[in-house]
Amino acid sequence: MVHRLFDTADVVLRIARLVLALERQADMRRHRPEYLAVLARLCRVCRPLHATLQPIIHSHLLLSVRVEPRRSALRTLAASWISARPASPRAPVAQAVRRSVSRVRTIVVDLLSHAEPGQLREHFADSGFCAQPWPRATCVFVRVSPDAIKSPGCVVAQALALVFEHARFVSSVYVMRSGPTNYAEPELDVRRVLGAQAKWVRSLCVGDGFRCQISECPVPLAELALTLCAQTSDAQLELLRRVCASVRRLELREITPRDLDCVVAGVEFGCLQRLRICLCTHAILSGASAAGLLDAGPGRDPRFPRLRQMRLEGYYQTAPPILLRALAAAAPLLDHLHMDLTIRNSAELEVWRIPRLRRLDMRTTVGVDVQPALDALFACGQTLDIVAVASHGRVEGCVPESLHLERVRELWLADVCVPLPHVWRLVRSLPLLVQLEATVLYEAGQDMLLETDDGLATIAEHIEPVLASRLELLALSHRRDVLVAQRISRLGVQLMALLCSLPALRRFRGRDCKSTVEAFVARMLDDHQVARVADHLRRLDVC
């Protein structure tokens, strides 16, 4: 078996996902048309990329529907647009489409304008889609533009019904909105959307911008992602409990703590491997509701015997304690946790009690005290390999003298401001650390500038080689440049001494201009006293 590092197809797809993330900040699953456009562009770069992407390019069928001006279009990524209008000859369309029938695995329907049910069927027929069955298609994406939102439930249900008529083996359904989603959120009835195809569907994902009703329990699903309606009845929550018990991937958005409590309490999620919960940020809990959550008994704890990844988000909201207890006590395989520190009772999640946790991502915001979480993390993170703390703004923190992160290899504190001596403490105390990112907190007197010669002499005095360090990547942000007009600040002196003290260092990223840092490193290496202990800087990649 070829290792993924040398697997061309895997490398190409990772490049495509990275390009999409950089261009759109988008999830590939939810922005399939844009992802396919990236693949189409990569396909034209060179022959190896073309050969690698050919199967994916030919396996996707794109159907766009626009009523005014009247136009329907059907294409594969490998072909140019095939446009069908009432006056257009249909033979070329049917011939081109027929060549792709056996290759198509995914059908993408782009609803660009509002259409009545009769109009929608007419447009599907005009495009050539209804001229033959699509026996190998297993996945359908329906993307609804703002112009088609007038009656979205009807439009989506009708579009899917037309697809299901000619693609009877579809098992994965994705419904997304294009454009902004910060206005009216129409409701979708899950049962009506799936229709007669419900017995075949195993994955259902409804993107942001829609709120879902569950009026009837669908067949057991392997994947479910949706946003609940603002007024979800207890009967619908009970149906959701029955559905969730069989899923492998579950995503519940805009759910109130009370509703989440009702859904997960006492349930064994025997198949669940990935879970994402976004607590409703607009819900206002009454005193009675909050008390009810806090008094939940241990007998109602859910169980997650196969859960591997968990993401819990909420802005100043309260998570059900039964969920926090269950993650610590009943999720034996959980190895990746993303926790929002803005959740009021996030401290109740005792991370160190999760036996196999390897990766921890914590998110916070300005105004939230991050230090208690950092103290608990540094004191009890013995099992962790990767730790990341992100924030919507920079927050201040400090590194305690005693650290218990013996296994950590990557530590990302990009939004946490710590004094530079604390960075030294990290590299000295974490023997397996390979990658480190942090923001340096300025202290009094560190802005003072020294002449270059005086700075070089001071750097040599501050070098303290950390011979056991394995650190290869160091990324440090700071408020001001440390190299200014042939002079160096006192912070710059300490920073350069740190670079000289890390024998395994291969890459450095800071605030100053790349060429300025490279020139100063070359100047340091001309100094015999510095070069004797910092020869590794000759191979340093400054970025």
Side-chain angles (χ1 to χ4, degrees):
M1 181 177 179
V2 179
H3 190 278
R4 63 179 301 186
L5 183 62
F6 304 103
D7 185 348
T8 305
D10 184 74
V11 171
V12 169
L13 293 181
R14 284 155 62 193
I15 292 173
R17 293 187 184 106
L18 178 61
V19 170
L20 178 67
L22 292 176
E23 289 186 354
R24 304 279 307 205
Q25 290 296 311
D27 178 0
M28 178 269 294
R29 288 187 311 104
R30 302 179 178 214
H31 297 75
R32 196 70 178 183
E34 287 88 347
Y35 176 65
L36 297 177
V38 170
L39 294 186
R41 293 202 302 272
L42 289 176
C43 194
R44 295 192 290 268
V45 172
C46 60
R47 288 184 179 179
L49 288 180
H50 180 78
T52 301
L53 295 174
Q54 276 279 23
I56 300 176
I57 296 296
H58 285 285
S59 67
H60 286 75
L61 184 74
L62 278 69
L63 170 63
S64 66
V65 176
R66 186 187 297 276
V67 176
E68 296 294 341
R70 181 176 175 81
R71 178 173 182 175
S72 299
L74 189 71
R75 65 166 177 166
T76 62
L77 289 183
S80 55
W81 278 96
I82 304 167
S83 299
R85 299 180 179 85
S88 302
R90 298 183 57 166
V93 175
Q95 182 180 5
V97 168
R98 196 174 296 117
R99 288 197 297 266
S100 302
V101 169
S102 62
R103 297 182 177 184
V104 170
R105 301 290 187 275
T106 301
I107 298 172
V108 179
V109 180
D110 218 354
L111 300 176
L112 301 175
S113 62
H114 173 70
E116 299 298 331
Q119 292 177 313
L120 203 58
R121 179 176 290 276
E122 185 179 341
H123 279 265
F124 268 68
D126 286 344
S127 71
F129 178 83
C130 301
Q132 65 285 305
W134 304 91
R136 297 192 178 185
T138 59
C139 181
V140 58
F141 284 75
V142 176
R143 195 169 68 155
V144 187
S145 74
D147 292 337
I149 290 295
K150 295 180 181 178
S151 55
C154 179
V155 171
V156 172
Q158 181 70 11
L160 284 172
L162 291 170
V163 172
F164 294 153
E165 284 182 18
H166 302 277
R168 299 183 180 276
F169 298 102
V170 169
S171 59
S172 299
V173 176
Y174 296 79
V175 180
M176 308 295 164
R177 277 176 68 171
S178 61
T181 60
N182 55 352
Y183 47 91
E185 296 184 333
E187 295 186 0
L188 293 181
D189 188 310
V190 171
R191 181 58 180 160
R192 184 181 182 187
V193 166
L194 297 182
Q197 194 70 12
K199 62 183 178 181
W200 297 105
V201 173
R202 293 296 176 266
S203 296
L204 173 63
C205 296
V206 181
D208 294 333
F210 291 105
R211 291 186 176 271
C212 294
Q213 294 181 359
I214 304 178
S215 58
E216 182 179 337
C217 185
V219 295
L221 296 168
E223 181 179 21
L224 177 65
L226 47 81
T227 301
L228 295 183
C229 289
Q231 302 297 328
T232 305
S233 67
D234 291 342
Q236 291 180 343
L237 292 174
E238 180 59 31
L239 288 174
L240 185 59
R241 280 169 60 90
R242 292 164 57 188
V243 173
C244 292
S246 65
V247 296
R248 290 199 300 269
R249 180 185 174 276
L250 176 63
E251 181 176 328
L252 299 177
R253 298 182 298 272
E254 292 298 305
I255 185 170
T256 65
R258 175 196 171 277
D259 289 350
L260 179 60
D261 192 359
C262 294
V263 170
V264 304
V267 177
E268 178 167 353
F269 295 83
C271 302
L272 189 64
Q273 298 176 12
R274 299 177 62 187
L275 174 62
R276 182 187 180 194
I277 294 174
C278 302
L279 297 171
C280 179
T281 59
H282 305 296
I284 301 177
L285 290 178
S286 66
S289 299
L293 288 176
L294 297 176
D295 293 339
R300 301 175 64 237
D301 289 357
R303 294 171 297 281
F304 303 95
R306 296 187 181 181
L307 185 65
R308 301 298 297 269
Q309 296 184 30
M310 165 71 182
R311 188 180 183 100
L312 182 58
E313 303 174 8
Y315 187 73
Y316 288 117
Q317 197 49 272
T318 303
I322 62 170
L323 179 63
L324 302 183
R325 283 201 306 269
L327 289 177
L333 301 182
L334 184 65
D335 61 11
H336 184 182
L337 175 64
H338 182 111
M339 184 69 180
D340 198 333
L341 294 178
T342 59
I343 295 175
R344 290 193 182 103
N345 58 338
S346 61
E348 295 181 21
L349 177 58
E350 299 176 334
V351 172
W352 53 91
R353 294 186 183 274
I354 304 176
R356 296 195 181 184
L357 191 63
R358 296 292 179 266
R359 175 166 183 166
L360 177 63
D361 295 297
M362 298 188 296
R363 189 180 68 175
T364 185
T365 189
V366 175
V368 176
D369 185 8
V370 72
Q371 195 57 48
L374 290 179
D375 291 340
L377 170 66
F378 288 128
C380 306
Q382 293 91 336
T383 67
L384 296 172
D385 293 332
I386 302 174
V387 177
V389 179
S391 173
H392 297 300
R394 291 183 175 176
V395 294
E396 293 187 12
C398 63
V399 178
E401 293 185 6
S402 178
L403 301 180
H404 296 279
L405 289 172
E406 292 85 358
R407 294 185 47 167
V408 72
R409 295 180 292 105
E410 299 179 21
L411 182 58
W412 307 99
L413 305 175
D415 302 310
V416 180
C417 298
V418 297
L420 191 60
H422 291 206
V423 178
W424 276 90
R425 185 177 299 165
L426 288 172
V427 299
R428 287 193 183 106
S429 305
L430 305 179
L432 301 183
L433 190 63
V434 176
Q435 299 183 31
L436 172 62
E437 181 174 3
T439 298
V440 177
L441 180 65
Y442 266 77
E443 297 178 305
Q446 289 186 328
D447 287 340
M448 184 182 296
L449 295 175
L450 303 175
E451 295 298 330
T452 301
D453 292 339
D454 295 336
L456 289 174
T458 310
I459 289 172
E461 296 174 1
H462 282 77
I463 295 176
E464 300 177 15
V466 186
L467 299 180
S469 173
R470 300 185 183 182
L471 192 67
E472 297 181 3
L473 169 63
L474 178 63
L476 294 178
S477 301
H478 34 89
R479 191 178 59 203
R480 301 172 187 159
D481 291 349
V482 297
L483 299 170
V484 181
Q486 304 298 319
R487 293 188 294 175
I488 183 171
S489 69
R490 289 192 177 277
L491 177 64
V493 167
Q494 299 172 17
L495 180 57
M496 292 300 168
L498 176 61
L499 301 186
C500 294
S501 303
L502 302 173
L505 192 64
R506 294 291 179 270
R507 178 172 295 181
F508 170 71
R509 183 171 73 247
R511 173 190 171 94
D512 292 80
C513 173
K514 169 184 169 72
S515 59
T516 304
V517 176
E518 288 177 337
F520 193 86
V521 169
R523 182 81 177 270
M524 283 197 306
L525 292 174
D526 290 338
D527 185 288
H528 176 72
Q529 189 175 0
V530 174
R532 183 166 50 86
V533 294
D535 191 64
H536 60 277
L537 293 184
R538 299 186 189 278
R539 301 180 296 276
L540 183 66
D541 179 17
V542 179
C543 51

